[in-house]
Amino acid sequence: GAVVSQHPSWVICKSGTSVKIECRSLDFQATTMFWYRQFPKQSLMLMATSNEGSKATYEQGVEKDKFLINHASLTLSTLTVTSAHPEDSSFYICSAQGGQSFESNTEAFFGQGTRLTVV
Amino acid sequence: GQNIDQPTEMTATEGAIVQINCTYQTSGFNGLFWYQQHAGEAPTFLSYNVLDGLEEKGRFSSFLSRSKGYSYLLLKELQMKDSASYLCAVVDSNYQLIWGAGTKLIIKP
């Protein structure tokens, strides 16, 4: 299957600093990328959907000024957690999709995830 | 509202068979995914069903009944490495993924 690379795998940062997480599709063009957050023992929660070249669509309750998403190319999307606080500590996962929808049995390919710990 | 229900936790014995159920109520339906997720890792794709019936893939099979809003994941010849969470996710009419909370499967020797 297709490969999505997410970096870094884990990061520890001080409260108040910003952290950037990269998500790259290595062997296909990802027109749509999704960013998820997962707290321990909970399901994946969609944070935002981004389409290459346009602004991301954020889910209700997700602060767009705090979680900056940039999808500047068909192979790279970034999530920047600005002014991070301990409550932002979580597992962040990106997934990429080559088509515009889930038609034609398009599966979502996931990155490895990033474990963020804010101290 | 939209809802996906799965059991929170199941326990099974190595070598046995286990069935993980998923029921859903969503605004429209455009397919159902099953993913496996080991602790601290990203989910990995197991299966996709969009038509009624059983899809078999090695030791794993997935079944769908759209009229009942029901799916199950069947795992045969269980191995210790199958201990993980299994996530059911439905694609709704807006092609958004609606995730279940996941079923933690514990395999005992």
Side-chain angles (χ1 to χ4, degrees):
Chain A
V3 178
V4 174
S5 176
Q6 188 173 338
H7 177 83
S9 299
W10 59 271
V11 59
I12 300 173
C13 70
K14 290 185 177 180
S15 186
T17 61
S18 295
V19 174
K20 180 184 284 189
I21 302 170
E22 292 188 348
C23 183
R24 293 180 185 273
S25 57
L26 299 184
D27 53 1
F28 70 104
Q29 293 184 328
T31 52
T32 305
M33 284 192 175
F34 304 91
W35 285 95
Y36 295 89
R37 181 168 53 185
Q38 186 178 35
F39 292 104
K41 298 183 180 180
Q42 295 186 23
S43 181
L44 292 170
M45 292 175 54
L46 180 65
M47 298 175 67
T49 303
S50 72
N51 292 293
E52 185 267 336
S54 61
K55 290 184 178 180
T57 302
Y58 289 81
E59 295 299 301
Q60 194 172 11
V62 178
E63 299 174 60
K64 61 181 180 181
D65 294 329
K66 181 172 180 62
F67 298 98
L68 302 178
I69 291 172
N70 185 287
H71 192 167
S73 76
L74 286 169
T75 59
L76 175 64
S77 177
T78 60
L79 167 68
T80 302
V81 183
T82 62
S83 186
H85 290 283
E87 56 265 30
D88 297 325
S89 297
S90 186
F91 191 55
Y92 292 86
I93 305 173
C94 71
S95 74
Q97 192 184 333
Q100 292 291 336
S101 73
F102 280 97
E103 292 175 312
S104 305
N105 197 15
T106 303
E107 66 178 275
F109 301 100
F110 286 89
Q112 303 94 319
T114 299
R115 173 77 58 194
L116 171 63
T117 302
V118 184
V119 297
Chain B
Q2 310 210 85
N3 194 46
I4 309 278
D5 286 316
Q6 305 178 235
T8 304
E9 188 174 295
M10 298 181 71
T11 303
T13 305
E14 189 177 16
I17 299 173
V18 71
Q19 177 176 309
I20 303 174
N21 295 324
C22 171
T23 57
Y24 61 89
Q25 300 92 38
T26 57
S27 57
F29 177 85
N30 282 297
L32 185 146
F33 288 94
W34 282 98
Y35 283 89
Q36 179 191 61
Q37 186 180 26
H38 286 100
E41 298 180 11
T44 54
F45 171 80
L46 291 179
S47 68
Y48 174 77
N49 294 68
V50 68
L51 299 176
D52 290 349
L54 185 68
E55 295 273 348
E56 297 187 77
K57 190 183 294 185
R59 293 189 299 116
F60 294 0
S61 302
S62 57
F63 171 83
L64 174 68
S65 169
R66 289 171 295 171
S67 62
K68 295 182 179 179
Y70 168 69
S71 173
Y72 68 73
L73 180 68
L74 191 70
L75 293 76
K76 302 177 184 177
E77 301 170 16
L78 286 171
Q79 302 173 10
M80 298 303 293
K81 67 178 183 179
D82 297 330
S83 291
S85 285
Y86 291 85
L87 300 165
C88 170
V90 172
V91 185
D92 71 6
S93 57
N94 293 318
Y95 293 96
Q96 297 284 334
L97 259 182
I98 313 299
W99 292 88
T103 299
K104 182 179 180 180
L105 178 63
I106 300 168
I107 309 295
K108 295 185 175 180

